[in-house]
Structures are given as C-alpha cells and as structure tokens.
C-alpha cells in the first residue's frame, strides 16, 4: 500500500507528493481535502498521534470554544453541517475533537496522513522547484507545494521560570495536558496565567481543589459566555437555511454571524448606551466586542466607557475589595488584548479556597514544594502553566524553513512579512493559512481557514492548468501589504497593549502588529480581486521555460 | 489462543494510532464479541522517544481454541482486513500462539 493515493514512496524512506500539508487541525484537514479533490497527490504530516490540531493538544479542564459552534465549524459540505449536531452553544474540547475525527473519517482523510511525524526542516531549491522536508528520526519528503497549516496558537511560549526545575510535584501546561483525567481533589494548586486558557482552567478546577492560588501578572477583561445546551428548535431553524448564517458571517469584519455595531458610542444618549452595553453583556460571548459600539477599538472615549462598564461588573460580583482591585484591568484598552470568555470566573474569587496572587511586580520562584510570589511562600502540590503561546510566527519559525539557503528566520528578523498572510517573498510555492498579515486570530478562524484554502486552491488550480512550476510574491508587494496592515493597526487602540498580537509576550520577539484589521469581508474581497485580475505582480515560473515570466493583469 | 499482531515500521511508515485505538480495535472487539478475554495494545511512538522496530504490538487472547476458529471464520473478517489500509501501510505480521505451559 506504499503508493496509496498517488503518493509514491521508495522504501518508505523518501516520499514524493504534489503537495505536503503540515498539520491535521481545522486548516490542515481542509487543505488535504481540497488538494485531493483537485486531483493532486497529497501527503499530510502531523506531530500528534491523531487529528485535531489545537483541539488535540489543549485538553485542559474547561477547554472550550469561544465562538458559537454552529459558526466555528466547516461550511464546505452541506451534508456535514446538516448531519452534525452540536451539544452546546459553545462546544467543549472533547466534542470539537470528536467533530474533527468525524470529518477525517467522513472525507477519508486519514490515509493521507502520517502521524507521530515531526518536520525538522523544509528547504526549497529553485533549481528543482521542489521542497524537501526532513523528518525527525530520519526520512524525507519532497513536494511541489508546501502548506504549513501549523496554526497560530500552537507553540507554547518557553517557560521563563528557571527554578521550576526545583519543583518536585507535577507541572502541567494547558496546551500539553495529559490524556488521562488529572485529579486535583484535595490538592493545593497554583495556576500561572489569566488569559483564555487560565480563565477556563481556573473556573473549572476551583471546585475540585483544596486550595487554588491564581498567579496573575495582568488582569484580563472577560465576558460571560452564556453557554447553554443546544436548542433543537434554533438549530433546526439555522440548518433550514445554513447558507444564510454562513453568508452573514462572511459579510462582517469578525466572521461572526452577528449584527455588528454601526453606531459609535457618542451616537447614544447615556441611558441608551447603558442599555446597549447591558444587552450585549446579557447576550455574552466574544461577539460582545463586535456588537457594542462601532468605535470600540478606535476611540479612547468609547473604549473607556466600555472598560468602565466591565470593571463595574467585576466589582458587582467579587466581594473582597483588594481582590476586586487586582482583577480590574486598567493598563490597556478593552479589546486590545484577547478578551476572555468565561462561565463564572469572577465568582470563583469569592470561594474560600481561592486566592489571587499578584505577580505583576515580583518574580516567581519555585522550590521543591512551593511557589514564592509577591513575597509569600505558598506550598503547593501541583503547578499549572497557562502562560500562552509564541503566537502566529513561532510554529513556522520552529520548522527551519528555508529557500535557496535563506532562512525564514532571517527573512523575518525584524518581524513577520507576508503578502495576504498567505505568501512570503523569497519562498516560492509555500502557502501559509491564516498567517501573520491576515485576519487570522481576530476572526472566526474556521471561516478564515476556509477562505484562505479556497483562495490557495484557486491559485494552485490556475498553476496546474497553465503549466506553471512556481509562484512567488515580490518584496515590493509584501512591503505594500504589510504597510497596509500596519496602517490599519495604527489608527486603532490595538497598538496600546503589550499583547501577543504584537509579539510582546515573547522576550526579544520583534514588535510588529500581525493580524489584519480590515475585517474578513474586505480581506476576502481583496483576495478575490487579485485572483480575478490574474494575479498581477506575482512571479510565475513556467515548467518548460526557465526564464521568469510575469503574468500581468 | 493468543493472536499477536505486529506492525513493523521503517522510517515514514504511516500509522494512525488514534484511529487504531478509537475505531479499528473497537471494530474487532465488536465483530468478535464474546470470543475475547482481553486485548492489549502496546504502542511504540517515535514522537514519545519509544524506539522499536514495531510501531504497535497488539495481543488478543481468545476464550478458547473454538472461539478463535469462530472468530477467524466470521464473514466480517474481510471488512476488518480492509480497514487496515485506513490506518497503516505497515506490512503487519500476525502470529497465533498459546500461553506457555509454565505460566499460571
């Protein structure tokens, strides 16, 4: 069976496929599906033993999607979206993993994949027009098209706590959680970090642990999820015209099927403003930010109104005034760091067994049985690290990608540069999915993934039809695009926060605002216009002509 | 009767452990319902640093020689064999043995 599906393997040591997709998450699975349907031989490589990507690794207690599952799901197959029934408004990790396994089975994607397979390098050689990938433990693969579908939040940030080595008890990272249930009953646990993973973990384990220390550096803004069991009546109504929901999502900035705010905060009277905020708060979810006021992330005044509202919500719930003060974010605009979505997060701090520890000013040290923070020695049995990711660029740079001897790390020395978040100048035939410079993490990412893969497939089909061997974007096009991405960010409050959007969470990482802020609708229109114009200013090299030929509009 | 299945691997052999554990073995168990004492799957994952010429070794003990014969004669055996290509391109090796006389 070594030549199954058109992928040829000589002694199983070197494999050639037209396309190699790295990753078996939402992006990788869909890319494999589309490439195969287009008649290309395709090989998938995945480090984990199974499919799922981020939903394979992040098995921490309370791991759950922040986007309604009816929207955070594939739209490419109507049969699929009709037959799958979500159990809750926001699916928990096991259900999303089950869904992705179902997708892999339903579309027969598994046989394309080699699991437990880690790519250690990927090098393009313009003489052959091929990528060569080295695999950990030996073995290599070659391909024409390389699609690193490695995700934006998949490489945990290196732990910056040298003394953690001293700690004798178990240390868990939320993104590498054990497959077996971890029993915290009767245990004293320290959780480091209060971003999305931290908030979900804290809220879930607080009821099990004997004592929970929450180590917080920067407080988050968090919106109630208002999660609930799926309502069969609502689901049936949506499924009777699913395309309408999907189209609505695609017509927005965020990729959420919501009525996005059209009016700025000052267009409301004070009473109306209050009502608008209460209404959005009552509806809950991450979409809160998109629905409330049109100028939330551009006007300091509007932002402060919402921030004050959210701060009041914390004070309404949490009883201890000192804890309220520590939990209250004041150092950055609301929305400029990833908002959290919770189910009873603030309530947890009224429990006798939960204590908030401020680590904004002091270092964190570990001994064999305790954590030392804020001048106190706290004995603990286990530590949970919810310290985040080397976002967007980390997983790509870790793979040692190079082209004709020039590394991606060098190309991105002063920050990530791409064209549309899809292509990188100097790296032909490599297509990123939701890369830096695309709406990616500031959108409903499944919708963005489908849009990216669809666009890539249009380009690949064009190349195959035209007998084109390679495509690359130019430095000029890339500079223009990244200039546009930066201009969009410059006019907003996003640049006021030390966020992972800008690389600020990783010491030494270049500070470049990475997500595209023009919204998914405008982004998709821009991509489509480039395609429709015949890919102007792309460098195409034809298979039977060695000279470069540009296809002009 | 003990059926032991070895999945030898070279570099780049395809093996989908998740599918094997979640789907293939449950399928075998359902086809051979009532005929098996136990199934033990032993994984050697290079990603976990467990190096072995085998990616997986599965030990299936049948309740009796008759049960084993019945299992092998099941018409759904073809379905089970076809499913192998879904998760691996390893040229599996199966051996039938019995418990050593000295073991209790």
């Amino acid at each position: 069976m070594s030549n199954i599906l058109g992928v040829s393997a000589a002694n199983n040591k070197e494999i050639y496929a037209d396309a190699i997709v790295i990753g078996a998450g939402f992006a990788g699975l869909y890319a494999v599906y589309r490439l195969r349907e287009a008649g290309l031989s395709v090989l998938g490589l995945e480090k984990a033993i199974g499919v799922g990507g981020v939903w394979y690794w992040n098995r921490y207690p309370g791991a759950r999607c922040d986007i309604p599952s009816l929207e955070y799901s594939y739209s490419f197959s109507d049969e699929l979206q009709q037959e799958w029934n979500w159990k809750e408004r926001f699916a928990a990790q096991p259900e999303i993993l089950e869904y992705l396994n179902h997708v892999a089975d339903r579309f027969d994607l598994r046989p394309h994949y080699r699991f437990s397979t880690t790519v250690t390098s990927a090098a393009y050689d313009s003489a052959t027009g091929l990528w060569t990938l080295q695999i950990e433990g030996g073995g290599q693969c070659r391909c024409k098209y390389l699609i690193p579908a490695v995700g934006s939040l998949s490489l945990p940030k290196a732990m910056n706590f040298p003394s953690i080595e001293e700690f004798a008890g178990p240390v868990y990272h939320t993104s590498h959680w054990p497959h077996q249930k971890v029993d915290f009953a009767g245990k004293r646990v320290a959780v480091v970090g209060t971003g999305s993973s931290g908030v979900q973990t804290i809220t879930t384990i607080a009821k099990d642990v004997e004592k929970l220390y929450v180590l917080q550096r920067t407080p988050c803004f968090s919106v109630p999820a208002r999660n609930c069991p799926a309502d069969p009546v609502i689901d049936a109504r949506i499924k009777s015209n699913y395309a309408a929901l999907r189209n609505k999502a695609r017509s927005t900035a965020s990729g959420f099927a919501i009525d996005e705010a059209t009016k700025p905060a000052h267009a409301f009277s004070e009473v109306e403003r209050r009502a608008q905020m209460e209404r959005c708060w009552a509806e809950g979810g991450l979409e809160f930010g998109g629905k409330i006021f049109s100028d939330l992330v551009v006007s300091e005044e509007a932002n402060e109104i919402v921030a004050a509202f959210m701060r009041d919500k914390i004070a309404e719930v949490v009883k201890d005034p000192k804890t309220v003060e520590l939990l209250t974010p004041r150092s950055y605009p609301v929305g400029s760091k990833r908002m959290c979505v919770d189910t009873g997060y603030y309530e947890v701090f009224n429990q006798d067994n939960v204590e908030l520890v401020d680590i904004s000013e002091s270092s964190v040290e570990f001994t064999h049985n305790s954590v030392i923070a804020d001048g106190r020695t706290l004995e603990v049995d286990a530590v949970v690290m919810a310290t985040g990711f080397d976002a967007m660029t980390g997983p790509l740079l870790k793979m040692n990608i190079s082209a004709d001897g020039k590394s991606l790390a060098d190309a991105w020395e002063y920050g990530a540069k791409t064209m549309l978040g899809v292509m990188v100048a100097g790296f032909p035939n490599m297509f990123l999915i939701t890369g830096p410079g695309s709406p990616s993490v500031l959108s409903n990412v499944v919708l963005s993934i489908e849009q990216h893969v669809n666009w890539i497939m249009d380009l690949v089909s064009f190349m195959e039809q035209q007998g084109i061997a390679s495509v690359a974007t130019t430095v000029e096009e890339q500079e223009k695009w990244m200039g546009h991405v930066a201009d969009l960010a410059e006019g907003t409050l996003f640049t006021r926060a030390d966020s992972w959007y800008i690389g600020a969470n990783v010491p030494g990482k270049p500070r470049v605002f990475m997500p595209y802020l023009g919204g998914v609708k405008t982004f998709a229109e821009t991509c489509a216009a480039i395609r429709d114009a015949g890919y102007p200013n792309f460098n195409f090299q034809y298979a039977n002509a060695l000279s470069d030929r540009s296809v002009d509009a | 009767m003990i059926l032991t299945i070895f999945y030898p691997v070279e570099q780049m052999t395809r093996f989908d452990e998740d599918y094997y554990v979640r789907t293939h073995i449950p399928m075998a168990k359902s086809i051979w319902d009532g005929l098996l004492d136990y199934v033990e799957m032993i994984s050697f994952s290079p990603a976990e640093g467990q190096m072995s010429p085998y990616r997986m070794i599965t030990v299936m003990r049948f309740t009796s020689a008759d049960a084993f014969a019945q299992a092998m004669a099941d018409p759904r055996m073809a379905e089970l064999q076809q499913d192998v290509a879904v998760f691996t391109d390893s040229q599996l090796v199966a051996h039938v043995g019995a418990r050593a006389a000295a073991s209790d």
Side-chain angles (χ1 to χ4, degrees), chain A residues 154-174:
Chain A
S154 51
L155 180 66
K157 199 174 74 171
M159 283 197 284
N160 205 15
F161 305 106
S163 58
I164 192 71
E165 300 294 327
E166 309 282 318
F167 186 67
V171 178
Y172 304 99
H173 197 290
T174 48

Side-chain angles (χ1 to χ4, degrees), chain A residues 12 110-111 113-114 116, chain B residues 11-12 14 16 19 22 55:
Chain A
N12 259 351
R110 291 181 191 282
Y113 272 97
R114 272 147 221 271
S116 306
Chain B
Q11 290 169 350
M12 297 307 296
R14 184 170 64 81
D16 182 344
Y19 182 86
R22 289 160 58 111
R55 179 66 182 79

